[in-house]
Amino acid sequence: MANYYDVVVVGGGTSGFVAATAAARKGARTLLVERYGFVGGSSVSGYPFLGFYAGNGEKVVGGIGEEVVGRLIEAGGSRGHIRGGRWQTAEEYEFSLTPYEPEVLKFVAQEMLLEAGVSLMLHTYLIGAIVREDRLIGIEVANKSGRSIIYANCFIDATGDADLAYLAGAPFQIGDEVQNVTLMFTVGGIDLERLVQEIEADGRIKGRGEWHTRVVRGPILDSDEPAIVHLAGHMDLWDDRPPLTFTAVSWKKNQASFNITRTVGIDPTNARDLVRAEISERRNVMETYRRFRERIPGMEGCELITTAPQVGVRESRRIEGEYCLQGEDVVNCREFDDGLARGSYPIDIHDPKGGKTQFTFLKDGGSYSIPYRCCVPKFIDGLIVTGRCISATHEALGSTRLQSTCMALGEAAGVAASLCRPSKTPRDIDGAELKGLLRNDGAIV
Ligand SMILES: Cc1cc2nc3c(=O)[nH]c(=O)nc-3n(C[C@H](O)[C@H](O)[C@H](O)COP(=O)(O)OP(=O)(O)OC[C@H]3O[C@@H](n4cnc5c(N)ncnc54)[C@H](O)[C@@H]3O)c2cc1C
């Protein structure tokens, strides 16, 4: 049957493209459904990969995530992991990041999918789910050609918003107030060293000596000289408003992507709110960019290069799975027998009300495991959930949402889905067998 697959992944973002690649590499006939005309999702917004290494220096993500970094380097889109930064906490944990060019990631992700034999269904929106006796057996999608139904033995929800789980009737949580949203933007023509001087002088960039403020140097794409790859602090852009907390990442000379604007009170599963967020954030970006030019030494002649494909959503629906990862599990670096992926980033919660970002560091700068059960929704069979919308509390999500962790979860979800052939459901999968397979493939579990 042309529209029957072993595995269908909905959402070709950070976690979904890895999940589809992993499933197809295990021999599953795999389809990827993605609403945009490219793959990569949130990962093409201009953020660096964070969380490949824990605060104590331990490497916590390998497997396909690490392969993605290697492929980015090969394609000229990254100089790899940059280590040696420091969180200025009492314990002085390591801060590392992996900057890359988002346009190259779109290409790398696409080629990995095609090489693995995944069928791509781009420009296609998930609009419905077909459930028989509590098992998801099909989905309805819409695109320029009209509507169609696709059947599979196992589905993976990698939409970031748990759209598929929701349509299938799986239980989920969404807070009354979720983390704020941000439209990333990239600016060229900046004297980044001048920005560092501003931090050192406690000038227009505040927060010298504070734990949040960071300056990281490393290699960039167009120079062998170490350059600024990461800056964080608080920018003083207005006389009558508090300084804006920002992070900036750079992979090219005189250029950086900024995470600085915020819109609060947005429900990312509400279409009207999303429109409101886009309008508000585009205004914020233009106003902030004008302020950069007027107010920040080193940015007088800067130019806006691009904005992300859409507002960045930090938090949305979280499914109710067979286990719900807790904030304490993360902070206390808990291990689980069915742990399939590791996270290590501090709990990073951007205030739903727009106040200061809250960070909670992990015990001894360590890492925690994420159980397979967090990816298996209660009550509905035939479905695995990965990425931002796994079963985790608001606090735990503040750490699991990082891209490296989402890629590790995606690999586990893809392999688990492939094991469901010919007729098992994700609940039947033996966590220990899955763990062994992932470890053999280089994943760190
Ligand atoms: C402002 C901001 C800054 C961040 N900074 C960093 C950072 O510096 N480093 C870091 O590692 N992480 C960062 N993150 C977190 C990280 O980017 C995300 O949490 C992670 O990429 C989510 O991955 P995902 O696969 O769950 O979702 P996504 O990557 O968003 O993928 C979801 C995919 O599903 C598709 N989709 C959604 N709904 C449908 C539908 N109904 N039908 C078809 N397709 C659909 C989308 O188009 C998308 O491609 C940041 C997040 C935000 C918002």
Side-chain angles (χ1 to χ4, degrees):
M1 250 194 302
N3 63 346
Y4 184 88
Y5 292 84
D6 295 323
V7 176
V8 170
V9 180
V10 184
T14 322
S15 200
F17 95 80
V18 174
T21 303
R25 283 183 183 175
K26 292 285 175 223
R29 198 160 162 263
T30 304
L31 174 78
L32 177 66
V33 175
E34 166 57 45
R35 67 179 160 179
Y36 291 140
F38 57 86
V39 287
S42 299
S43 289
V44 302
S45 305
Y47 327 127
F49 294 136
L50 294 175
F52 267 91
Y53 292 85
N56 62 10
E58 171 200 4
K59 183 152 190 204
V60 296
V61 175
I64 297 181
E66 185 58 39
E67 183 186 334
V68 170
V69 176
R71 301 276 293 240
L72 282 166
I73 296 172
E74 235 175 75
S78 176
R79 299 294 295 259
H81 305 300
I82 297 176
R83 312 273 312 271
R86 292 271 141 212
W87 293 105
Q88 303 294 326
T89 55
E91 294 83 6
E92 280 260 320
Y93 296 138
E94 175 175 333
F95 171 82
S96 60
L97 73 159
T98 317
Y100 58 89
E101 165 62 59
E103 292 306 320
V104 180
L105 181 70
K106 286 181 190 165
F107 168 75
V108 162
Q110 169 187 295
E111 295 305 305
M112 285 175 70
L113 287 159
L114 294 175
E115 281 167 28
V118 176
S119 301
L120 294 187
M121 203 176 200
L122 302 178
H123 291 291
T124 302
Y125 216 101
L126 168 78
I127 56 167
I130 302 164
V131 178
R132 294 273 182 277
E133 292 169 1
D134 294 333
R135 182 175 182 132
L136 177 64
I137 59 162
I139 57 171
E140 188 176 9
V141 298
N143 56 29
K144 286 276 189 184
S145 307
R147 293 174 169 207
S148 51
I149 305 283
I150 304 161
Y151 297 96
N153 181 52
C154 184
F155 290 86
I156 298 179
D157 184 338
T159 60
D161 297 319
D163 282 4
L164 179 51
Y166 165 72
L167 291 169
F172 66 91
Q173 303 271 325
I174 185 164
D176 293 337
E177 291 179 319
V178 295
Q179 295 189 54
N180 57 53
V181 299
T182 294
L183 183 61
M184 289 289 290
F185 63 104
T186 303
V187 172
I190 315 171
D191 180 348
L192 286 158
E193 290 293 347
R194 184 72 189 80
L195 299 193
V196 175
Q197 287 168 19
E198 263 329 271
I199 296 177
E200 282 162 3
D202 203 16
R204 290 284 187 209
I205 307 185
K206 306 289 182 197
R208 184 173 51 134
E210 273 183 23
W211 68 266
H212 174 81
T213 306
R214 296 181 296 277
V215 176
V216 182
R217 287 187 167 78
I220 52 171
L221 293 181
D222 47 359
S223 168
D224 289 328
E225 295 297 313
I228 307 289
V229 293
H230 179 76
L231 281 176
H234 314 284
M235 268 198 196
D236 192 5
L237 294 172
W238 289 271
D239 287 329
D240 54 352
R241 297 191 213 165
L244 271 187
T245 299
F246 77 98
T247 57
V249 59
S250 174
W251 54 89
K252 270 189 189 151
K253 231 185 264 176
N254 307 327
Q255 179 178 309
S257 281
F258 284 85
N259 179 348
I260 183 166
T261 61
R262 283 163 201 105
T263 296
V264 301
I266 297 297
D267 172 356
T269 64
N270 177 307
R272 279 192 193 173
D273 273 16
L274 283 173
V275 174
R276 198 157 57 80
E278 295 292 351
I279 293 170
S280 154
E281 278 297 276
R282 193 150 308 277
R283 287 178 177 161
N284 286 344
V285 165
M286 288 312 286
E287 192 185 357
T288 307
Y289 160 60
R290 270 198 298 274
R291 289 274 159 180
F292 282 173
R293 291 173 61 102
E294 286 168 15
R295 196 116 170 164
I296 304 293
M299 298 189 84
E300 298 86 351
C302 72
E303 285 171 27
L304 181 61
I305 297 177
T306 187
T307 53
Q310 66 151 77
V311 286
V313 170
R314 294 184 167 90
E315 182 176 351
S316 179
R317 291 187 195 101
R318 295 168 278 114
I319 61 145
E320 280 182 25
E322 292 296 337
Y323 182 75
C324 178
L325 194 72
Q326 306 291 307
E328 303 88 72
D329 297 334
V330 169
V331 171
N332 296 320
C333 301
R334 188 163 170 198
E335 294 294 332
F336 292 91
D337 289 343
D338 62 337
L340 294 177
R342 301 193 75 76
S344 68
Y345 201 71
I347 294 179
D348 170 6
I349 295 186
H350 290 244
D351 189 351
K353 292 194 165 55
K356 277 202 162 174
T357 304
Q358 303 292 321
F359 267 69
T360 310
F361 287 86
L362 274 54
K363 188 167 174 270
D364 301 325
S367 65
Y368 56 91
S369 71
I370 304 172
Y372 174 55
R373 285 166 293 156
C374 293
C375 304
V376 180
K378 280 185 182 162
F379 311 132
I380 292 289
D381 282 332
L383 178 62
I384 298 175
V385 176
T386 184
R388 194 175 70 210
C389 45
I390 62 164
S391 178
T393 61
H394 167 73
E395 288 73 27
L397 169 77
S399 171
T400 60
R401 68 190 180 88
L402 272 296
Q403 292 174 92
S404 56
T405 318
C406 286
M407 288 194 282
L409 283 166
E411 180 167 359
V415 174
S418 77
L419 292 178
C420 290
R421 283 170 303 160
S423 58
K424 279 189 193 163
T425 183
R427 227 175 295 282
D428 301 332
I429 299 302
D430 173 12
E433 185 195 353
L434 183 52
K435 205 167 178 172
L437 282 174
L438 289 165
R439 204 175 263 140
N440 286 345
D441 291 341
I444 302 172
V445 288

